[in-house]
Amino acid sequence: MNGVVILGAGHAGSQLAVSLRAEGYGGPVTLIDASDALPYHKPPLSKTFLMDPEARPQPLRAAQAYEAAGVMRLTGRVDAIDPAARTVTLAGRLLPYDDLVLATGARNRMLPDLAGAANVHCLRDLADAQRLRDALPGAQRVTVIGGGFIGLETAAALAGTGRSVTVLEAAPRVLARVAAPETSARVEATLAGLGVTLRTGWVGRGWRRESDRVTAIQGDGEEIACDLVLVGIGAEADTALARAAGIACNRGILTDAGLRTGAPHVWAIGDAAETPHWQLDGAAVRIESVQNATDQARHLARQLATGWTEPFRTVPWFWSDIGPLKLQIAGLAARADRRILRDEGARMAVFHLEGDRLVAVETLGSPADHMLARQMLEAGRTPPDGVLLEGPAAIKGWLAAA
Ligand SMILES: Cc1cc2nc3c(=O)[nH]c(=O)nc-3n(C[C@H](O)[C@H](O)[C@H](O)COP(=O)(O)OP(=O)(O)OC[C@H]3O[C@@H](n4cnc5c(N)ncnc54)[C@H](O)[C@@H]3O)c2cc1C
């Protein structure tokens, strides 16, 4: 028996390795990652880790947890997979498998002209975060390219350190692809309050370089001088191994609702996977979140261990800490055609509806609304607009009574 080989020991791969055993899987479990670090939490990398030079990565679980589960951890970048022969190639060695799980995550997009400059950074893994943190003492003027989650979290964290921080965003508002205008507006106001300079609708015209450093970013009639640049323009699924093996990919490695790829005995989970979603009538979607990665891992563990076959179905949820703001999102708003805003200052909730059906909820500073949102979406229940507007107590009461 060759067992399960898992490529990628991030949130998805690490969870799968231990869940397989918890579900009673009896065969060998091999967990391979390009990094030799004990698998760690990624979210702190753009938040607390940057701010504390002494901070260490937070392990997802202790080394003993893998040992206790009989998981063999191997370090190295897998160069190729061969679904016909059921092998992976690691450092010139062929490792056979019964089932292969691709949990290879995502890679940052980079602006090709900026790649390689000594003071240009991106943020995806521990090595990126360490390089960025090491560069901060010499950087007074920081420019963040991209007003997405990672860029804004980092901008907010650095703003509190007396640096001059500028965010350049091509869209008319930050978080334009992922949040409602009301949420973007509140985030923008909070960042401005922290002293961050925001340039939305930014039209990039180029950059000034001196030897191996970028010294200014140029826009329409404007130049922003910088000591350090963080490029936060999103990520792409790491599909390289799957594509090279002829496995169908689109924005991610395509799977069915049971997380199976197009090749027999090859599965994909986490940021790398693009999977049919129940909230989108089965249209495929790639979700980058800790919840999606760990829930897909738990689901697949049960399937591989017990032969249980159910489609993957959870309410997606996500959080982002942008300075003092706790943004939480439950559900997918892609098909919403109207929204309801409850704005109480410190607490805010945006309810996205498709017709009369609640499909997603964004909250700022309101964990009670977020938890209720997950309950409502799970149960497929939508209170009247007036109840949503009243607040968490009214929603709770309606759920209990209805
Ligand atoms: C800075 C940052 C902050 C974030 N903050 C939040 C947050 O606040 N909330 C939230 O919900 N989500 C957040 N996320 C997203 C979340 O971390 C990801 O969705 C999650 O890590 C996905 O897990 P994964 O296992 O699919 O991929 P990853 O955790 O990225 O793991 C993939 C692993 O695969 C390995 N790998 C890839 N190719 C190979 C190969 N060929 N051979 C061997 N190993 C390979 C990589 O080294 C990597 O360790 C954040 C992400 C980042 C980068």
Side-chain angles (χ1 to χ4, degrees):
M1 192 177 193
N2 297 316
V4 178
V5 171
I6 305 166
L7 299 194
H11 285 268
S14 168
Q15 181 67 56
L16 175 64
V18 294
S19 289
L20 274 168
R21 209 59 88 202
E23 292 285 352
Y25 183 75
V29 176
T30 307
L31 179 62
I32 308 176
D33 201 281
S35 159
D36 63 0
L38 191 59
Y40 53 89
H41 287 272
K42 290 238 164 117
L45 298 182
S46 50
K47 306 171 183 86
T48 46
F49 183 84
L50 288 180
M51 307 324 306
D52 176 2
E54 306 298 319
R56 301 171 68 82
Q58 297 170 21
L60 288 167
R61 38 189 61 81
Q64 295 87 316
Y66 302 97
E67 284 159 25
V71 174
M72 184 175 3
R73 287 178 50 225
L74 298 179
T75 300
R77 181 160 285 281
V78 168
D79 304 314
I81 61 175
D82 183 343
R86 288 211 221 175
T87 57
V88 307
T89 309
L90 175 65
R93 220 174 97 208
L94 289 181
L95 299 180
Y97 64 78
D98 295 324
D99 285 280
L100 173 65
V101 182
L102 302 173
T104 46
R107 291 179 180 197
N108 284 318
R109 288 199 195 97
M110 198 12 112
L111 296 163
D113 290 352
L114 292 187
N119 61 337
V120 171
H121 295 256
C122 58
L123 194 43
R124 173 79 12 209
D125 59 20
L126 182 58
D128 294 336
Q130 267 160 344
R131 179 172 171 262
L132 175 57
R133 191 171 70 176
D134 290 348
L136 285 175
Q140 185 53 34
R141 297 162 304 176
V142 175
T143 299
V144 176
I145 301 181
F149 289 118
I150 289 178
L152 298 184
E153 288 177 357
T154 309
L158 296 183
T161 63
R163 291 180 175 83
S164 133
V165 181
T166 304
V167 176
L168 307 178
E169 168 56 56
R173 60 182 174 93
V174 300
L175 302 178
R177 280 183 302 126
V178 288
E182 296 83 1
T183 304
S184 298
R186 178 62 54 84
V187 169
E188 287 175 4
T190 303
L191 287 168
L194 294 172
V196 174
T197 304
L198 281 173
R199 292 274 196 278
T200 49
W202 175 261
V203 182
R205 293 292 179 212
W207 15 83
R208 191 181 291 280
R209 280 180 91 131
E210 278 170 28
S211 67
D212 65 344
R213 299 176 72 80
V214 173
T215 55
I217 309 285
Q218 297 163 328
D220 260 346
E222 187 178 15
E223 198 170 80
I224 301 198
C226 50
D227 305 314
L228 186 149
V229 179
L230 173 66
V231 179
I233 56 171
E236 284 165 5
D238 193 336
T239 58
L241 292 173
R243 282 184 201 275
I247 296 174
C249 297
N250 183 24
R251 282 160 301 177
I253 304 166
L254 288 169
T255 75
D256 66 10
L259 307 169
R260 256 175 226 90
T261 72
H265 299 282
V266 182
W267 314 76
I269 54 174
D271 282 12
E274 188 176 344
T275 300
H277 204 281
W278 62 276
Q279 272 203 298
L280 303 176
D281 298 326
V285 68
R286 192 174 81 76
I287 296 180
E288 282 177 27
S289 77
V290 168
Q291 171 273 328
N292 183 65
T294 50
D295 281 352
Q296 287 192 337
R298 289 192 186 99
H299 184 95
L300 182 57
R302 179 168 296 181
Q303 272 182 218
L304 292 175
T306 67
W308 172 76
T309 50
E310 283 290 325
F312 175 69
R313 186 197 183 285
T314 57
V315 172
W317 57 267
F318 175 83
W319 82 95
S320 173
D321 295 312
I322 303 173
L325 289 179
K326 162 79 74 191
L327 169 61
Q328 292 173 291
I329 302 177
L332 298 179
R335 298 210 172 151
D337 48 33
R338 69 184 181 102
R339 59 182 186 274
I340 297 171
L341 168 68
R342 173 164 23 89
D343 186 353
E344 300 164 273
R347 292 190 312 179
M348 190 172 123
V350 183
F351 301 92
H352 294 265
L353 294 102
E354 185 184 357
D356 288 335
R357 195 164 57 98
L358 186 70
V359 292
V361 182
E362 288 161 35
T363 58
L364 281 168
S366 191
D369 271 310
H370 174 72
M371 295 312 291
L372 288 165
R374 283 161 54 179
Q375 270 181 43
M376 290 187 280
L377 292 168
E378 181 58 49
R381 298 181 59 198
T382 306
D385 291 7
V387 172
L388 294 175
L389 279 167
E390 237 178 283
I395 297 173
K396 215 170 166 181
W398 183 86
L399 279 171

